[in-house]
């Protein structure tokens, strides 16, 4: 009995020492961002800024050559970063663009590390495009990567729902040997944790003029990627409707631009140039972050006409700066904003949606002239609120290995 008590005491001391060692050793996180677009970079930077005590190892690949990138990232990393990937980590945090199942096959050491997959988007809910190719490959990759995860996280319920629905629809097309029940059960164990947003205070000198005036104009900002899925045709229809009614509107069209862009933007520029009521304040991407922040802190309204947004970070950014959102009643927007900030979803009716936007802007101008615009509270999506949830998520994933080992 004496030896037994000594052994128990020895084990307790060792266990306490192990706990102490865990406490002073930062969690080692391997973060893989396979298609490092602007919103993905904001997410990574936010995680590192608000969880600085974690030991981050980050691998990224540029957001270009989409079809090659999503299928080739496992090759790029497995044979270009093998030594780094074979190091010991507590958890792997990978975006859904990663070819994770192949990467684990190429680097077997990763198989024993808990893996969290974070879905900024999914390939099932994108609007159709004439330039879109290889969509089946991208959709299958989404499913494989999700199934390779120990924990699956989405940035919005809209993203999660459309992913699950799209996965079922695709699997139903397989001719035979489809383990539907097992796959859907595993995918359904997913959770929602949005990307955090910065809610820094706005300097007093850059605040918008809130003084009511009967001849006040409305300042509109549209701050999205200049691509078809952000609704440039709907934006054009809305500005045409505003021009037709003579709505006094200052317009800032900003956001990320590309070498090729929809023709609607050229038509928008011409429309504003010849209009008596519309005035162009900004046109094109603002490279300076300070200039962009200054714009958002002064504009009245942020508009989205998107047919694709899984969280809407550009809108959320503008809302934190005090812009009043005017958004379609679709996508992820109803999760963050109530009906005061939503206009009707008109589906394929582009002209009808343009009228709905114009009516919404006219109502907001009346409110501004009467004394002020409604503001949206998005503080629940701030990094200050969400960072602790990310920490708990990573800690839970990391501890799952020790629970599995003890079992």
């Amino acid at each position: 009995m004496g030896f037994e008590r000594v052994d128990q005491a020895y084990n307790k001391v060792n266990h306490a020492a192990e706990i102490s060692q865990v406490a002073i050793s930062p969690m080692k996180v391997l973060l893989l961002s396979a298609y490092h677009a602007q919103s993905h970079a904001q997410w990574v930077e936010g995680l590192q800024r608000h969880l600085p005590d974690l030991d981050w190892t980050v691998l990224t690949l540029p957001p270009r050559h989409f079809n090659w990138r999503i299928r080739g990232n496992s090759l790029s990393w497995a044979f270009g970063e093998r030594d780094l990937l074979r190091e010991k980590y507590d958890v792997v945090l990978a975006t859904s663009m990663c070819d994770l199942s192949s990467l684990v096959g190429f680097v077997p050491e990763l198989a024993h590390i808990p893996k969290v997959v974070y879905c900024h988007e999914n390939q099932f809910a994108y609007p159709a495009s004439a330039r879109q190719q290889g969509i089946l490959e991208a959709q299958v990759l989404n499913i494989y990567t999700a199934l390779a995860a120990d924990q699956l996280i989405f940035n919005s319920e809209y993203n999660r729902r459309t992913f699950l629905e799209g996965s079922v629809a695709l699997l139903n097309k397989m001719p035979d040997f489809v383990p539907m029940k097992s796959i859907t059960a595993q995918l359904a164990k997913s959770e929602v944790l949005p990307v955090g947003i910065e809610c820094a205070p706005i300097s007093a000198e850059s605040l918008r003029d809130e003084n009511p005036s009967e001849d006040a104009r409305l300042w509109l900002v549209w701050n999205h990627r200049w691509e078809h899925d952000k609704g440039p045709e709907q934006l054009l229809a809305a500005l045409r409707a505003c021009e037709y009614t003579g709505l006094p509107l200052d317009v800032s069209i900003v956001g990320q631009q590309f070498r090729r862009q929809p023709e609607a933007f050229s038509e928008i520029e011409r429309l504003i140039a010849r209009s008596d009521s519309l005035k162009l304040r900004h046109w094109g991407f603002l490279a300076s972050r300070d200039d962009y922040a200054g714009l958002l802190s002064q504009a009245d309204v942020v508009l989205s006409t998107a047919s694709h947004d899984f969280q809407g970070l550009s809108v959320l950014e503008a809302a934190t700066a005090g812009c009043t959102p005017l958004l379609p009643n679709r996508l992820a927007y109803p999760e963050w904003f109530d009906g005061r900030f939503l206009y009707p979803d008109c589906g394929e009716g582009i002209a009808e949606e343009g009228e709905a936007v114009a009516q919404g802007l006219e109502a907001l101008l009346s409110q501004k002239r009467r004394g002020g615009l409604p503001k949206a509270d998005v503080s629940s999506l701030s990094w200050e609120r969400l960072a602790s949830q990310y920490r708990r998520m990573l800690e839970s994933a990391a501890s799952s290995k020790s629970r599995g080992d003890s079992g």
Side-chain angles (χ1 to χ4, degrees):
M1 293 291 291
F3 287 114
E4 190 174 314
R5 283 195 296 270
V6 170
D7 287 343
Q8 288 175 352
Y10 177 78
N11 289 337
K12 286 181 180 178
V13 170
N14 269 359
H15 183 59
E18 288 173 4
I19 292 175
S20 175
Q21 183 65 29
V22 170
I24 63 174
S25 298
M27 184 191 309
K28 291 177 64 66
V29 183
L30 173 63
L31 194 156
L32 304 173
S33 181
Y35 195 82
H36 204 52
Q38 186 176 18
S39 59
H40 298 207
Q42 287 179 243
W43 174 70
V44 172
E45 291 163 7
L47 285 171
Q48 293 179 297
R49 186 181 305 115
H50 293 276
L51 297 174
D53 56 311
L54 303 189
D55 184 356
W56 295 96
T57 297
V58 178
L59 289 179
T60 69
L61 290 169
R64 56 177 182 258
H65 313 305
F66 177 79
N67 290 319
W68 283 106
R69 181 73 73 233
I70 62 170
R71 203 64 179 97
N73 62 76
S74 56
L75 290 173
S76 301
W77 282 333
F79 297 96
E81 301 286 355
R82 179 171 292 273
D83 290 341
L84 193 64
L85 291 171
R86 295 176 69 182
E87 292 184 11
K88 292 184 178 181
Y89 299 98
D90 296 300
V91 63
V92 174
L93 177 58
T95 66
S96 56
M97 296 292 196
C98 294
D99 184 9
L100 190 57
S101 57
S102 295
L103 186 61
V104 172
F106 291 138
V107 187
E109 290 84 354
L110 293 173
H112 306 292
I113 303 174
K115 288 169 282 296
V116 178
V117 166
Y118 191 89
C119 300
H120 292 269
E121 64 280 290
N122 71 72
Q123 300 303 310
F124 299 99
Y126 277 96
S129 166
R131 295 173 57 193
Q132 195 174 36
Q133 297 177 353
I135 188 64
L136 177 60
E137 181 83 8
Q139 291 174 346
V140 170
L141 178 69
N142 263 186
I143 295 175
Y144 283 11
T145 293
L147 293 174
D150 298 292
Q151 196 166 352
L152 183 60
I153 308 293
F154 292 89
N155 59 351
S156 69
E157 179 57 34
Y158 167 75
N159 189 4
R160 179 180 180 275
R161 174 175 55 80
T162 54
F163 176 86
L164 296 177
E165 292 173 351
S167 297
V168 170
L170 180 61
L171 291 170
N172 276 327
K173 295 179 181 179
M174 289 182 65
D176 54 14
F177 298 104
V178 185
M180 180 72 77
K181 185 177 293 185
S182 299
I183 292 175
T184 54
Q186 183 169 334
L187 296 179
K189 294 177 182 177
S190 50
E191 299 177 16
V192 172
L193 182 55
V195 174
I197 53 176
E198 302 292 349
C199 295
I202 305 165
S203 58
E205 62 269 19
S206 66
L207 288 173
R208 59 189 55 75
D209 181 8
E210 301 286 1
N211 296 321
S213 169
E214 291 186 0
D215 60 353
R217 296 173 63 84
L218 194 69
W219 186 350
L220 169 73
V221 59
W222 188 95
N223 59 338
H224 310 276
R225 282 186 289 102
W226 290 31
E227 293 186 297
H228 78 283
D229 61 307
K230 298 304 181 182
E233 296 290 345
Q234 288 83 347
L235 174 62
L236 175 60
L239 292 176
R240 280 174 173 163
C242 291
E243 205 273 336
Y244 180 78
T245 59
L247 189 72
L249 192 67
D250 293 345
V251 183
S252 294
I253 309 294
V254 296
Q256 189 177 11
Q257 293 172 271
F258 303 92
R259 187 172 65 252
R260 297 177 61 183
Q261 57 195 36
E263 176 59 30
F265 287 105
S266 298
E267 296 185 42
I268 288 169
E269 192 173 22
R270 288 192 293 267
L271 171 68
I272 297 174
R274 65 173 183 262
S275 174
D276 293 327
S277 61
L278 306 181
K279 177 184 176 182
L280 187 63
R281 280 189 177 241
H282 301 89
W283 182 261
F285 180 69
L286 293 177
S288 166
R289 185 69 188 176
D290 289 341
D291 290 346
Y292 178 63
L295 165 62
L296 295 184
S297 69
Q298 296 176 72
D300 295 312
V301 177
V302 59
L303 172 68
S304 173
T305 52
S307 54
H308 150 242
D309 250 336
F310 290 106
Q311 183 173 346
L313 287 178
S314 59
V315 166
L316 293 170
E317 272 187 328
T320 66
C323 290
T324 298
L326 183 60
L327 315 167
N329 189 14
R330 57 176 177 257
L331 312 174
Y333 294 129
E335 296 178 45
W336 321 130
F337 302 99
D338 62 45
R340 295 175 299 161
F341 306 108
L342 303 175
Y343 62 83
D345 176 11
C346 299
E348 299 297 320
I350 293 178
E352 291 85 350
E353 183 153 313
E355 291 288 344
V357 171
Q359 290 172 15
L361 291 172
E362 186 174 0
L364 290 173
L365 177 59
S366 296
Q367 288 180 274
K368 179 180 179 179
R369 288 176 170 178
R370 290 198 305 268
L373 292 165
K375 304 302 179 187
D377 181 7
V378 292
S379 59
S380 63
L381 297 173
S382 69
W383 273 115
E384 286 71 18
R385 298 276 189 92
L386 294 178
S388 60
Q389 297 183 42
Y390 274 94
R391 182 187 299 280
R392 286 195 295 272
M393 178 266 290
L394 292 170
E395 288 175 346
S396 175
S399 65
S400 67
K401 180 179 186 298
S402 60
R403 291 196 301 269
D405 290 345
S406 63

